[in-house]
Amino acid sequence: MLLFYVRHGDPIYVPDSLTPLGLRQAEAIGKRLAMFGVDEIYSSTSERAKLTAKPLCELLKKDMTLLDFANENHAWRDLTCFRPDGTSRTWLFSDEETVSLFNTPEIYDLGQRWYEHPAFNEEKYAEEKYKEGIERIREYSRDFLLSLGYERVGAGKYRVVKENEGRVALFAHAGFGLAFLSELVGIPYPAFTSHFDMCHSGLTVIEFKNEGGFAYPKILTLSSDAHLYKEGLPTRYNGREPF
């Protein structure tokens, strides 16, 4: 099986939608995936994710299946912290102090139980629910993969319970997606989110190859924006200046 994970296009967060550029990005990724052929299309319940999936659905004449667990609102509730000013929040992986903490030997030694580090009892973190958030994503991701034929039996290891040669697309978000992918491949959240990122409409390709009855998901491409080049669209990384 190939799993295509797509971050939504250039967003309008309030109200939840896409900018004109985001709509063009959605058309571009739709054309790209239609060339591959996709058997099943899933989307977060957010409008920006659904709008990004819509062109592919129209090209292939397929309906999308909505997955509320992939909605970024849930991840935002559980995997954020207070900014230094103490009045607003940001993702853990966007906070300079937290990224520094994430890359300490103590956090690496804790592995998947990183949230047990005593630093996360400090005021800027104490109101958040890191363990519950990670376990929620793990549980729902496990059920989603099982529905596709892969039973999670360990970190990054799946038993093939139903042979699946299909191609599956999931349209969602970066904040959720980084946690989802870290669970998928068994790399602890601090390490994964500190060192990987996703661009708007970026395409991540994960291969589930049957190896003696087991699959070890491998990321073949992470957040590729080749479709933007193909359509002559700006390739500024999440709105930043070009590299």
Side-chain angles (χ1 to χ4, degrees), residues 80-82 119-130:
T80 55
C81 65
F82 283 105
F120 293 110
N121 293 320
E122 296 176 5
E123 186 175 355
K124 70 178 290 181
Y125 303 113
E127 293 185 11
E128 311 310 325
K129 302 176 180 179
Y130 304 128

Side-chain angles (χ1 to χ4, degrees), residues 140-168:
Y140 281 104
S141 299
R142 180 194 63 206
D143 292 345
F144 174 58
L145 269 297
L146 183 59
S147 74
L148 298 175
Y150 300 90
E151 179 187 14
R152 187 180 190 274
V153 294
K157 181 177 181 179
Y158 296 78
R159 178 180 291 110
V160 181
V161 296
K162 180 179 65 176
E163 194 66 47
N164 189 342
E165 297 296 330
R167 297 180 175 196
V168 176

